Amino acid sequence: MKRTLFSLLSLALPFAAMAAPPAAPEEHVAVNFSHDLPNVPGKKLTAVEVTYPPGGASAPHHHAGSAFIYAYVVSGSIVSEVNGGGEHTYKAGESFYETPGSAHQVSRNGSKTEPAKLLAVFVVDSQDTHLTTPDH
């Protein structure tokens, strides 16, 4: 009996280790600014600061259908993939954009040892309250 139990555990342990890899630390998101655009009725501008701890990442997500996004890497490096276009690493001082309705498959800190910070500026319909929705 002991030998059979040991054999079963020996077979099961490798599968248990593969089942749930440790999750990356999550990002911290803070709205820095949000205001209706008086010269563009029905639109607002919202600036969001995203801070990634070392090894941190965002879950795959998509943005509001009306959202045009300008992203600027403030510090560190950010690895991003939008709409299946392949991963690209952006370093401090570099920027990229996302068109309305984009799917963001990858958004993570490019470093396992240093934090990273991104400023995302959204131009979005005023009634859109959810700028980001996780993909499940």
Side-chain angles (χ1 to χ4, degrees), residues 66-79:
S66 68
F68 178 86
I69 303 159
Y70 167 76
Y72 177 81
V73 180
V74 176
S75 62
S77 65
I78 302 290
V79 179

Side-chain angles (χ1 to χ4, degrees), residues 36-124:
D36 286 335
L37 296 173
N39 59 336
V40 187
K43 295 287 186 181
K44 68 180 173 183
L45 184 139
T46 300
V48 177
E49 185 177 273
V50 183
T51 305
Y52 291 97
S58 299
H61 58 275
H62 61 277
H63 297 290
S66 68
F68 178 86
I69 303 159
Y70 167 76
Y72 177 81
V73 180
V74 176
S75 62
S77 65
I78 302 290
V79 179
S80 180
E81 180 178 0
V82 178
N83 295 329
E87 290 186 7
H88 185 83
T89 301
Y90 298 93
K91 297 179 181 175
E94 296 181 324
S95 60
F96 59 96
Y97 68 91
E98 297 179 33
T99 57
S102 290
H104 209 153
Q105 290 88 15
V106 176
S107 186
R108 71 172 184 267
N109 187 337
S111 173
K112 302 261 188 237
T113 60
E114 299 294 324
K117 188 182 295 184
L118 172 76
L119 177 68
V121 179
F122 291 71
V123 176
V124 65

